Amino acid sequence: MEYSAHEWGVVLENLIINGGISLSGEVNISGAKNAAVAIIPAALLVEGECIIENLPDISDVRVIADILKALGAEVSWLDESTLRVDATNVDTYEVDQECAGRMRASYYLLGALVSRFHKAIVPPPGGCNFGTRPIDQHLKGLQSLGCTTEVNGGVICAEGENLRGGQVYFDMVSVGATINIMLAATLAPGLTVMENAAKEPHVVDLANFLNSMGANIKGAGTDVIKIRGVERLHGGTYSIIPDQIEAGTYMFAAAATRGDVVIKNVIPKHLEAVSAKFVEMGIEVWEGDDEVRVVANKPLNRVNVKTLPYPGFPTDLQPLMVALLTTVPGTSIVTESVWDSRFQYTGELDRMGANITVDGRVAVIEGGRPLTGATVRATDLRAGAGLVVAALACEGTTTVTDIRHIDRGYERIVEKLTALGANISRNND
Ligand code: EPZ
């Protein structure tokens, strides 16, 4: 379900980008959005105070924090990246419809509330729209833990009087289902074994958070995760990992503008799929302990790319790869194997002069034709980031509209790009 900006009282803003400038300098990466939106609901399982550090200052994080507050948790910001949550007094398992529709990750409340109350009522989540986003694997997993589930008009109800550990085999790799079942199983008596689990860094980060508060989770980061349920979790302090998709976004911005940028506060291993493709394209990538430098000062080679679950090439960087490939002479093929419909934005790149043909899950990019500035719409979060990268790379002025999507996931994007030499600003529509 998508919400309209007017409905939520959001001021419509645009990004105005005068492109054609090579980026250079250093950029600091914020905490990971997709870890944050799982770890904040996980605080519902904790008795006492959780201090969560290194949170990105983005709207998705503020929304999920507000949802916990609406449920009755004590929630306060200690500074712009540190949240204090004490959910001891939460006494409801029902999530407000308006809140849930504001983001995708509201469905993590399902696993968290089932773990805590053995019952959850969660209205349909919102978030990016790229085709159907089924939740059958979440429901199947909960059923394996002894829950009954029902979906009425999109509202998900789960009940687990006798919630206990169980064996879960996922039919496909799902980040959301892996996280939801990890949450549900943490306080469920007995052993839960999840097979064909997602291995994304944010899955590991959630497991580390829960373990640091007293959970017993082993194998996160592999495709078999074993969870021995514990009676309770205690409070503590935890710092979120850096956002590998934000880091990747600045790697693409550097490459597309043929720049030289050091991306700091990253875990280079999380970026290996991108680094390997960059090297194949003739882009230099240097990895330090917690930084990556990208230098693109030679002619680039065309490549083919297929998105895959981690550690494969991330679907969330697919629009950025397509934007980069429009600047590279030759024919490149990008195959989207995670989502059904994640190429809608290519029409926007075509308005800038790109030549991209999409057939189902495959996009063929005839690159190297110079793009020119245009007015384009951010159709979703990462599509918006892809348009920003294309706009930075091409001559002329581009207006990217509907940037509330971009603000859901990128902290201070205008300031960070400006510090790298970009000519970018916001204006109200
Ligand atoms: C997470 O979404 C991310 N969101 C997405 O990032 C990301 O694109 C996606 O994982 C894949 O990496 C968050 O972490 C909040 P999935 P999620 O369940 O968990 C199918 C961004 O830009 N599937 O791994 O919703 C599904 O249709 C966002 O930051 C089922 O069929 O994705 C898809 O084809 C956008 N049944 C595939 O699995 C299910 O029950 C992967 O989905 C669940 C999923």
Side-chain angles (χ1 to χ4, degrees), residues 235-291:
T237 298
Y238 188 81
S239 185
I240 303 261
I241 50 166
D243 194 315
Q244 85 268 24
I245 304 299
E246 189 199 18
T249 299
Y250 287 97
M251 291 173 78
F252 278 98
T257 61
R258 306 301 188 261
D260 178 349
V261 174
V262 181
I263 296 124
K264 297 180 83 83
N265 182 35
V266 299
I267 298 173
K269 181 152 186 47
H270 293 168
L271 295 160
E272 268 172 5
V274 177
S275 301
K277 269 295 155 199
F278 274 19
V279 170
E280 202 180 321
M281 294 176 75
I283 301 163
E284 291 172 47
V285 181
W286 280 284
E287 292 181 1
D289 287 344
D290 62 355
E291 63 184 37

Side-chain angles (χ1 to χ4, degrees), residues 33-34 107 133-137 174-176 316 338-339 382:
K33 167 181 92 83
N34 289 345
Y107 62 17
R133 295 186 70 170
I135 54 158
D136 54 302
Q137 300 302 306
S174 162
V175 173
D316 292 343
V338 176
W339 295 108
R382 309 300 175 188

Side-chain angles (χ1 to χ4, degrees), residues 33-34 37 104-105 107-108 128 130 132-138 172-177 179 200 202 315-316 338-340 342 361 381-382:
K33 167 181 92 83
N34 289 345
V37 297
R104 188 73 198 161
Y107 62 17
Y108 293 149
C128 292
F130 15 78
T132 50
R133 295 186 70 170
I135 54 158
D136 54 302
Q137 300 302 306
H138 303 237
M172 82 277 300
V173 177
S174 162
V175 173
I179 286 178
E200 267 67 4
H202 34 291
T315 171
D316 292 343
V338 176
W339 295 108
D340 282 342
R342 207 175 188 176
R361 287 172 169 237
L381 167 59
R382 309 300 175 188

